[in-house]
Amino acid sequence: MRISALLGFLFLGLQALAQNTQVDYESIYKIKDEGFNNSQVMDIAWNLTDRIGPRLTGSEGLKKAYDWTSQMYKDWGLTNVKVEAWGDFGPGWEVDKNYIAMTVPYYQAMIAIPKAWTPGTGKEITAEVVYVEINSEEDLAKYKGNLKGKVVLMPTTTEAVNGYDADARRYTDEELEGMTKVAVRGGRGGGNFSASRMSDFRRASNLRRAAYTMLKEEGVALVLNTNRGGQGTFFTSNGARNDDSALPEMEMAPEHYNRMVRLLQKGEKVMVEAETKTRFLKNDTKGYNVVGDIVGTDAKLKNEVVMVGAHLDSWFAGTGATDNAAGSAVMMEVMRILKTSGVKLKRTVRIGLWSGEEQGIFGSRNYVQNTFMADKKPNAAHQNFSAYYNMDNGTGAIRGIYLQGNEATKGLFEEWFKPFHEIGASTITTSNTGGTDHLAFDGVGLPGFQFIQDPIAYNTRTHHSNMDIYEALEEVDLKKNAVIIAAMVMQTANMDAKMPRKPKEF
């Protein structure tokens, strides 16, 4: 970074701190009153989960969510409401039937679901289960001619063990304090990506591909696999979206998977019956976002934009409650609070509910490129943008904010969070966090922020699992989050200047 750019960045930060830190307590009162006493966040979340259901990108469920959310925008008085195509995604995918049970040595219904973007079995099948263990290319030969019509299990290291720690938890004061510390790491020693480890990874990957090709050539009827999980919960993976010749696959609870493995390893015969029906949706392969505005009231500043957003798409084994109906419901509630409470907003406030996040942050990345960039350079809309706020870490209460290295904003947020210290939100860290839609904005030099949230059971029980359902939502936390974010947006929309930016050269 050039010295002149660094000095300019620090000057902008001091200027913003001097002009914009004052908290508008009158507006905060209105936001708290509306958000805590008249909240609709749980009703919004219920519609997205129980009523609409899973919202895999390209699915019929996500189409229903587009229709419902855009209508709610209009009902609340938002303008410029659009279900807006961002580009080509590819075929959608639906599960129409899902059944598997072990029938020999005894009957046991099993917890499983088709792997994403894999075909169904085509009919009900009754087949013997075979445990296929392949540790080298030479192992492939011993299975040739023996797998046609069989159901195949592959080796796994996944174990379902008794848990002695609570699934759900909140951050301790010590953990939050630790987040404010800056860690400086050395660049020597190779770390986790040494040449030998990369070689091992490539070798294992090549072996998996060779094994999968052999299974297809053999005419296997169904492949079963498992991921992490336990106590009735299983976690799903991204599947074979770009493989038109994929085998029927199911992912299942590790307890049921490992039971069959143990039986087979002890020499017992195992048989299952199964039927899965899936559909590939090819009539409309576009991806869409749902956007809407509250137009600013200041004649000079209303062309500048503050955004909130969350991804509307979900995974499909549950109803996508914590990932990410929670974030979508909160951001919709933010817009409702701002509109209903009547707080002044000098700049235009826009919501974006994204699709394709689970497959690669596609919706927000394409929105950013289509809206703020031209020929890979910033356009006028880029110049008129202030800040983006994102929520995508489950149902947990906001405890603070990640600044993504944007140190010039630290003083602003330290002041703006003061009205929420009493509800546990006070941690301001310059650290980065990844994996979700704020990165699309940060990547082109626009201020993009993600909030620190209590983990609750996000990583242990709900994220991409069959138990990501309405019951996992924490009502009090979602109310808090909507109020906090609405306050941050109000303060940002009414700043004298736009949010300070990190230096970036294009």
Side-chain angles (χ1 to χ4, degrees):
M1 181 188 300
R2 290 198 292 265
I3 297 297
S4 59
L6 177 60
L7 292 175
F9 179 51
L10 294 175
F11 174 75
L12 286 173
L14 292 172
Q15 187 180 50
L17 181 61
Q19 293 180 345
N20 299 293
T21 54
Q22 184 174 359
V23 175
D24 180 354
Y25 281 99
E26 182 178 348
S27 293
I28 294 289
Y29 172 82
K30 293 178 181 178
I31 288 169
K32 284 185 173 181
D33 182 55
E34 182 62 32
F36 289 145
N37 297 321
N38 301 308
S39 177
Q40 294 183 22
V41 70
M42 292 305 289
D43 184 64
I44 297 168
W46 174 84
N47 274 279
L48 292 174
T49 55
D50 285 353
R51 191 178 68 80
I52 291 174
R55 302 171 307 283
L56 192 68
T57 298
S59 69
E60 292 167 348
L62 189 57
K63 171 64 166 60
K64 292 177 183 176
Y66 295 152
D67 294 342
W68 183 77
T69 54
S70 59
Q71 185 58 53
M72 293 304 296
Y73 290 0
K74 294 173 185 176
D75 290 348
W76 295 334
L78 274 60
T79 58
N80 303 320
V81 175
K82 301 174 187 174
V83 178
E84 184 176 72
W86 51 255
D88 193 62
F89 174 75
W93 183 80
E94 289 280 353
V95 178
D96 290 331
K97 189 171 184 178
N98 172 39
Y99 166 70
I100 184 169
M102 185 174 70
T103 56
V104 174
Y106 46 84
Y107 182 87
Q108 176 72 67
M110 296 198 158
I111 302 172
I113 198 167
K115 193 172 186 178
W117 280 284
T118 58
T121 58
K123 61 181 180 180
E124 183 177 308
I125 61 171
T126 299
E128 185 178 355
V129 181
V130 178
Y131 181 60
V132 172
E133 189 166 8
I134 297 172
N135 298 309
S136 67
E137 294 278 352
E138 291 71 28
D139 290 335
L140 295 172
K142 65 185 179 183
Y143 295 105
K144 294 242 176 169
N146 297 312
L147 299 178
K148 184 175 179 59
K150 299 292 197 300
V151 173
V152 167
L153 302 177
M154 304 283 278
T156 178
T157 58
T158 300
E159 292 184 311
V161 297
N162 293 326
Y164 296 96
D165 297 320
D167 288 330
R169 68 182 190 90
R170 297 191 183 277
Y171 284 126
T172 65
D173 291 342
E174 292 75 18
E175 287 174 313
L176 291 168
E177 175 65 22
M179 291 182 186
T180 67
K181 309 301 181 186
V182 177
V184 179
R185 296 179 175 84
R188 302 176 64 182
N192 292 328
F193 295 99
S194 64
S196 61
R197 289 199 63 175
M198 288 301 295
S199 178
D200 290 342
F201 176 82
R202 284 194 294 268
R203 189 180 303 110
S205 180
N206 291 335
L207 186 59
R208 283 195 301 270
R209 281 196 294 270
Y212 191 75
T213 298
M214 184 269 290
L215 296 180
K216 287 199 287 188
E217 291 173 347
E218 287 291 297
V220 165
L222 178 65
V223 176
L224 302 178
N225 51 59
T226 191
N227 208 329
R228 65 187 182 93
Q231 292 78 51
T233 298
F234 69 99
F235 295 81
T236 55
S237 58
N238 228 325
R241 194 164 75 85
N242 298 312
D243 183 1
D244 292 336
S245 63
L247 286 167
E249 285 193 61
M250 298 185 78
E251 295 181 299
M252 65 192 314
E255 295 94 337
H256 290 168
Y257 189 93
N258 289 341
R259 184 194 308 183
M260 290 190 289
V261 170
R262 291 191 299 269
L263 286 166
L264 292 166
Q265 288 178 328
K266 294 290 188 180
E268 296 287 336
K269 183 177 182 179
V270 177
M271 294 191 69
V272 298
E273 61 181 22
E275 184 176 10
T276 61
K277 292 181 180 179
T278 65
R279 282 182 291 129
F280 291 83
L281 309 179
K282 299 182 179 181
N283 288 337
D284 183 358
T285 60
K286 299 275 185 204
Y288 295 88
N289 301 316
V290 190
V291 296
D293 293 347
I294 300 173
V295 177
T297 58
D298 187 281
K300 293 182 178 179
L301 297 178
K302 67 181 180 181
N303 289 330
E304 297 181 0
V305 174
V306 180
M307 282 196 74
V308 298
H311 71 88
L312 186 59
D313 65 304
S314 80
W315 220 223
F316 64 96
T319 56
T322 65
D323 187 27
N324 189 27
S328 295
V330 163
M331 292 312 193
M332 290 178 71
E333 174 71 354
V334 166
M335 299 299 280
R336 190 199 67 80
I337 290 170
L338 293 173
K339 187 68 178 174
T340 303
S341 66
V343 296
K344 179 179 68 176
L345 300 169
K346 293 180 180 180
R347 291 175 176 80
T348 292
V349 176
R350 179 173 300 155
I351 184 172
L353 296 180
W354 318 116
S355 68
E357 192 273 349
E358 299 292 8
Q359 289 73 45
I361 319 181
F362 292 144
S364 58
R365 287 193 193 279
N366 280 279
Y367 175 83
V368 165
Q369 292 297 321
N370 295 339
T371 306
F372 302 115
M373 304 293 288
D375 297 324
K376 299 183 179 180
K377 294 181 180 179
N379 59 17
H382 190 284
Q383 177 62 32
N384 287 329
F385 190 82
S386 185
Y388 171 76
Y389 296 99
N390 193 73
M391 181 175 156
D392 183 22
N393 285 147
T395 188
I398 287 173
R399 307 300 301 277
I401 193 167
Y402 296 100
L403 301 184
Q404 295 296 126
N406 192 344
E407 295 186 24
T409 66
K410 187 175 181 181
L412 292 173
F413 288 111
E414 285 176 342
E415 291 297 315
W416 292 353
F417 267 87
K418 283 182 177 178
F420 306 105
H421 287 191
E422 63 189 14
I423 59 173
S426 61
T427 302
I428 314 299
T429 177
T430 58
S431 298
N432 300 337
T433 187
T436 191
D437 294 291
H438 69 293
L439 297 178
F441 293 81
D442 186 67
V444 298
L446 297 174
F449 304 102
Q450 172 81 6
F451 295 93
I452 301 167
Q453 291 177 249
D454 278 330
I456 312 299
Y458 191 60
N459 291 316
T460 57
R461 185 62 63 178
T462 65
H463 179 245
H464 292 192
S465 85
N466 61 317
M467 296 307 294
D468 193 7
I469 52 179
Y470 181 85
E471 285 81 358
L473 298 176
E474 294 281 346
E475 180 175 359
V476 171
D477 288 18
L478 298 184
K479 286 182 176 180
K480 289 179 182 178
N481 294 354
V483 166
I484 291 170
I485 297 171
M488 298 301 122
V489 171
M490 178 275 296
Q491 293 282 170
T492 308
N494 295 330
M495 292 171 69
D496 296 332
K498 296 191 298 292
M499 186 70 72
R501 299 182 180 186
K502 296 182 293 186
K504 185 175 179 64
E505 295 183 8
F506 291 90

